[in-house]
Amino acid sequence: MKYGKWCLLFLKRLYRKPIFLALLLLIPLLTFGYSSLSREDSGILTVAVAQRDSEDAFAAQMIADLCESSQLIRFTLCETAGEAEELVTYGKADSAWIFDEDLKNKVAAFVAKPERRNAFIDVIEREESMFLTMTREKLGGFVFSYLSPEFYLQYVRNNLPQLNGMTDSELMAHYDAVSLSDDLFTFAARESAPKEQSYLLTPVRGLLAIVTLLCGMAAAMFYVEDTQQGLFSRIPMKNLPAMELLCQLIAVGNVALVATLAMLISGLGAELLPEIGLLVLYVPCVSLFSMLLRRILRGTVALGVAAPLLAIVALCVCPVFLDLAQLRTFSMLLPVNYAIRGAYNPIYLLYMGIHTAVCAAGCFLLDKTVKTV
């Protein structure tokens, strides 16, 4: 009964904190803002595409197929090559791909002599970058699908004289009849992984996990302020860790619950029960991690400085946007890592439990050896 009154009191005080309300507001902004963004025309890079001969049907078909071949590149169709170049010049496009006139014959000439002087696509870029290098690889792979039939015909004509009696149409009939087996690769997706999500939406879980972690840090600062104001002066010292944990669970639990609901409503989450299980494990993990940091850092100033730094570190080392193998060991120190990986790999739920237990043991040892408040 007594702890129930404390819970209501903490909840009431919590919703009077501007920082806490800001964190709550950030959740729907992140979730539904990203969902809205994913429905727009999106891409990492913008490429302007044009053909020098507007009447060239082969080039037009090639460009149409190209524009449908990737979600990571935003293609902008231009009526003229000059327009495409201007978009790059004025920074409205990262690159321009301009297809030559008489493209079909140019492709045949390149197949016969694959030299620079026979190139049939001009690539104009503002600057060299890793992402633009990747787009050129994409262009090369796409163009090869058009070069392959020509290479096939050239090879047959030059190396198989016994087939000289066959027309190109007959040879291409055999080419088209051959289909490669998919047995070379086996593609599989985890059953719990969300299906057909936009690449723009995949970081949302990680960003919400970081917001929840920031809430834990804020709750640690609230606890220090309440202690300094004498709010817990009538509570025995031995009961203060339990009271602090209660404060953390209420604050972190509120934010994590709103984050989970936002993910489920927006369609980003997995099924209901796995999300609830992840919520139940992540809340104490963040709470005890924040309690441990409060004992190590001490004071609201140090915690306030550490909170944004911790968020930046989590963005860099945890698989929010990129999953770097070199940083995986370090990411195991942060609860955010388990919130992301635990949604798709159940073994990380066990690791999260171990992380929580280690933080609890650290809090216990520091309380026994060091006066933290």
Side-chain angles (χ1 to χ4, degrees):
M1 188 66 179
K2 182 187 299 185
Y3 281 101
K5 292 181 179 179
W6 277 108
C7 288
L8 291 175
L9 177 61
F10 290 151
L11 206 56
K12 183 178 179 181
R13 288 170 57 83
L14 200 58
Y15 279 89
R16 290 180 177 177
K17 301 281 189 181
I19 295 178
F20 182 77
L21 294 177
L23 289 173
L24 284 178
L25 180 61
L26 190 59
I27 291 171
L29 289 177
L30 279 174
T31 307
F32 299 106
Y34 260 78
S35 297
S36 176
L37 182 63
S38 71
R39 290 190 288 268
E40 301 294 329
D41 183 22
S42 57
I44 293 176
L45 295 172
T46 299
V47 174
V49 184
Q51 58 187 92
R52 297 191 186 279
D53 181 3
S54 60
E55 303 298 326
D56 191 336
F58 181 76
Q61 183 60 51
M62 196 171 179
I63 290 174
D65 293 341
L66 176 64
C67 292
E68 296 177 358
S69 65
S70 175
Q71 293 183 346
L72 298 179
I73 302 173
R74 182 191 298 110
F75 292 102
T76 301
L77 292 177
C78 300
E79 294 184 0
T80 64
E83 180 185 349
E85 292 182 26
E86 285 183 3
L87 290 180
V88 176
T89 301
Y90 293 108
K92 296 181 179 180
D94 301 287
S95 179
W97 297 348
I98 302 172
F99 292 71
D100 276 351
E101 69 278 355
D102 194 19
L103 190 63
K104 193 173 183 62
N105 289 330
K106 291 285 183 67
V107 168
F110 180 83
V111 171
K113 290 186 178 181
E115 301 173 353
R116 184 182 180 88
R117 61 187 177 89
N118 289 329
F120 51 88
I121 299 177
D122 292 333
V123 176
I124 302 171
E125 299 175 350
R126 295 187 66 195
E127 58 186 4
E128 183 74 19
S129 72
M130 178 187 70
F131 288 114
L132 287 176
T133 301
M134 293 171 62
T135 62
R136 292 198 296 271
E137 294 290 338
K138 164 67 181 176
L139 177 61
F142 173 81
V143 169
F144 181 77
S145 64
Y146 284 83
L147 299 180
S148 178
E150 292 292 337
F151 276 119
Y152 163 74
L153 291 174
Q154 292 275 358
Y155 181 85
V156 170
R157 295 305 184 198
N158 295 332
N159 297 280
L160 300 174
Q162 60 270 32
L163 299 180
N164 287 342
M166 298 181 66
T167 65
D168 287 353
S169 298
E170 291 174 331
L171 290 175
M172 287 306 301
H174 289 282
Y175 176 90
D176 295 332
V178 176
S179 61
L180 295 177
S181 171
D182 293 333
D183 295 339
L184 182 59
F185 299 101
T186 299
F187 297 94
R190 296 188 182 275
E191 294 181 358
S192 59
K195 298 178 181 179
E196 298 182 0
Q197 287 187 13
S198 165
Y199 70 94
L200 286 174
L201 298 179
T202 53
V204 173
R205 182 182 294 276
L207 293 174
L208 294 180
I210 291 175
V211 171
T212 306
L213 179 60
L214 289 175
C215 175
M217 298 292 289
M221 289 187 280
F222 297 159
Y223 176 80
V224 173
E225 292 175 352
D226 290 340
T227 302
Q228 292 173 348
Q229 294 172 5
L231 183 64
F232 306 116
S233 58
R234 295 185 179 182
I235 298 177
M237 288 291 295
K238 63 179 182 179
N239 294 337
L240 284 179
M243 187 60 64
E244 181 183 3
L245 179 59
L246 182 63
C247 296
Q248 280 282 350
L249 292 176
I250 291 173
V252 175
N254 271 262
V255 170
L257 179 60
V258 173
T260 300
L261 291 175
M263 290 191 64
L264 290 171
I265 293 172
S266 63
L268 300 180
E271 296 180 0
L272 178 61
L273 289 180
E275 289 294 344
I276 292 177
L278 187 62
L279 170 69
V280 170
L281 290 174
Y282 189 57
V283 170
C285 183
V286 170
S287 299
L288 285 161
F289 179 78
S290 301
M291 289 172 61
L292 181 61
L293 285 183
R294 184 192 69 77
R295 284 157 172 76
I296 295 173
L297 299 175
R298 306 186 187 185
T300 57
V301 175
L303 287 168
V305 172
L309 294 178
L310 192 63
I312 294 171
V313 170
L315 279 172
C316 295
V317 305
C318 296
V320 179
F321 295 102
L322 296 174
D323 185 7
L324 302 177
Q326 302 90 330
L327 300 176
R328 282 186 182 177
T329 301
F330 188 72
S331 70
M332 300 291 280
L333 299 174
L334 301 175
V336 175
N337 178 64
Y338 305 103
I340 299 171
R341 299 187 187 278
Y344 311 116
N345 191 344
I347 190 62
Y348 281 91
L349 300 180
L350 174 61
Y351 297 158
M352 190 190 302
I354 296 173
H355 185 280
T356 304
V358 170
C359 290
C363 291
F364 177 80
L365 291 174
L366 287 174
D367 286 342
K368 291 295 182 181
T369 57
V370 182
K371 183 179 180 181
T372 57
V373 177

